Amino acid sequence: MKIEINTLTPKLFLEMYTSVGWEPPYVEQIKKALANTIASFTAFDGAQAVGMARLIGDKGMSFYIKDFAVIPPYQSRGVGTLLINALEKYVKDSISSDWAVSLELISTKEAIPFYKKKGFEERPCEWDGPGMFKMIR
């Protein structure tokens, strides 16, 4: 298994995005999102793409994991861990060694235990409110 950075194409994105049951965005949206992504990460088993994630944010104080997906036959096989490790290394390599930055995401309910094992904290917590989002159409 290997992770490639910034090789995610709209076609691969759409295949993996829909493999986990998410409603597909328009291809033009995907193209624009990828063009404005700090870095994309694609997990490969040989030539087959099996997982992906995008990193977005301000590159200074906040980074956000978006569209983290592993195709169903490869879930619970270490692909997610490889992607998280690659994301975290990328962030650490992108910032000054004395900086602390936030790495954030909104998880599906089923993935909460995975992210907690990787050191993410659930919200709300003692010092912070819940993660929130709003879809605009």
Side-chain angles (χ1 to χ4, degrees):
M1 225 58 80
K2 68 178 177 172
I3 303 294
E4 292 186 5
I5 298 175
N6 294 329
T7 61
L8 186 60
T9 65
K11 181 180 184 285
L12 286 177
F13 179 96
L14 198 53
E15 287 172 10
M16 288 185 281
Y17 195 89
T18 57
S19 79
V20 295
W22 296 338
E23 181 182 336
Y26 294 106
V27 172
E28 290 305 315
Q29 286 179 287
I30 297 168
K31 288 178 183 177
K32 185 157 190 141
L34 290 175
N36 290 298
T37 294
I38 293 172
S40 65
F41 302 81
T42 310
F44 286 91
D45 184 7
Q48 181 182 3
V50 297
M52 69 171 183
R54 291 191 309 123
L55 186 65
I56 61 177
D58 61 24
K59 300 183 185 179
M61 293 174 49
S62 183
F63 292 84
Y64 195 90
I65 298 171
K66 191 76 178 121
D67 306 319
F68 193 106
V70 175
I71 65 172
Y74 280 81
Q75 292 174 4
S76 300
R77 293 180 53 190
V79 177
T81 297
L82 290 173
L83 286 166
I84 286 288
N85 291 347
L87 280 157
E88 288 188 14
K89 181 181 183 324
Y90 186 94
V91 170
K92 286 178 186 175
D93 290 348
S94 299
I95 62 171
S96 182
S97 61
D98 57 338
W99 289 5
V101 299
S102 66
L103 181 58
E104 305 169 23
L105 58 88
I106 293 178
S107 175
T108 61
K109 289 181 181 180
E110 300 80 18
I112 291 171
F114 168 78
Y115 291 116
K116 286 176 89 171
K117 282 194 311 191
K118 303 302 175 201
F120 288 83
E121 296 178 7
E122 233 179 309
R123 290 184 178 171
C125 62
E126 184 177 309
W127 56 273
D128 212 352
M132 302 176 80
F133 81 103
K134 178 180 182 177
M135 291 298 291
I136 298 176
R137 296 190 186 269

